[in-house]
Amino acid sequence: MSALHFDESLVTIIEDEGLDTFAVEDRLVKIMHGGGWIKDSFGSALCEREQNYPTALDAGGINVAIPHCDPGHVNHGTICAAVLKHPVAWRRMDDPAQTCDVSLVVMLALEEAHAHMEMLQKVIGIVQDQVLAARVVASRDSAQLYGLLKDYLA
C-alpha cells in the first residue's frame, strides 16, 4: 500500500447536533477537496457507495464509520478523521438494516483498490481499545485529536 497523507489539517471535531450520515461525510469531503486530495467526483461516489455498502462498525461502545470509495476518485491517498460530539445514527456494515451511533469517522481516500483492508484493521484497532477510543472522542481540539490518532493512522 502506498503511503497515505495524514496531518492536523485533516482532523476535525464536529459539535453540531441533528446531523445525518451524509452531512457528516460532506464536511469531511470538503476538507479533503480543499486540500486537493480528492477529485470533484469523490463526494457523489462516496454517497452512492454508502447507500449500497454502509460503513459503520458497531464496536459495542464507541463506534466508528469508515467511509471510502473507488480509487478513481482520488488524486492523492489521504485520511480524514472527525469526532462527532453528538453521535450520528449510521447504517452498519455487517447489518445494513440496523444502525449504530457513531462518534468517530475515519474517511479513506485510497489510490489502490483493496488497500482499504489494511486501513480497516488499523481503525478497528483503535475502537477495539475502548479506553483509547474514549480518549479520542473526548478530544478538546484538532491538535489533541491528531496527536492521539497519528501513531495509529499515519
Side-chain angles (χ1 to χ4, degrees), residues 57-118:
L57 177 64
D58 187 340
I62 295 169
N63 304 315
V64 64
I66 313 166
H68 56 283
C69 67
D70 186 81
H73 306 283
V74 175
N75 290 327
H76 307 286
T78 192
I79 303 166
C80 187
V83 164
L84 309 177
K85 291 299 184 177
H86 300 279
V88 171
W90 211 289
R91 290 177 48 228
R92 291 173 32 185
M93 65 174 70
D94 65 326
D95 185 355
Q98 300 294 318
T99 63
C100 62
D101 289 336
V102 166
S103 299
L104 176 62
V105 181
V106 179
M107 184 176 286
L108 307 177
L110 305 173
E111 295 178 275
E112 300 171 16
H114 308 296
H116 66 282
M117 292 309 294
E118 183 179 335

Side-chain angles (χ1 to χ4, degrees), residues 15-52:
E15 300 196 26
D16 298 6
E17 294 183 52
L19 298 177
D20 64 13
T21 300
F22 302 105
V24 172
E25 287 181 343
D26 185 58
R27 294 221 185 155
L28 274 62
V29 165
K30 286 178 179 169
I31 291 170
M32 293 172 81
H33 192 264
W37 302 106
I38 56 174
K39 296 179 181 176
D40 292 343
S41 59
F42 188 92
S44 58
L46 186 77
C47 180
E48 183 178 325
R49 189 190 187 290
E50 189 73 45
Q51 289 173 338
N52 295 316

Side-chain angles (χ1 to χ4, degrees), residues 65 68 88 101 110 122-123 145 151-152:
H68 56 283
V88 171
D101 289 336
L110 305 173
K122 289 181 178 186
V123 175
L145 176 58
D151 292 336
Y152 296 90

Side-chain angles (χ1 to χ4, degrees), residues 113-136:
H114 308 296
H116 66 282
M117 292 309 294
E118 183 179 335
M119 283 309 304
L120 288 174
Q121 291 173 344
K122 289 181 178 186
V123 175
I124 289 168
I126 294 169
V127 294
Q128 281 180 330
D129 180 347
Q130 286 285 295
V131 172
L132 170 62
R135 290 178 54 216
V136 167

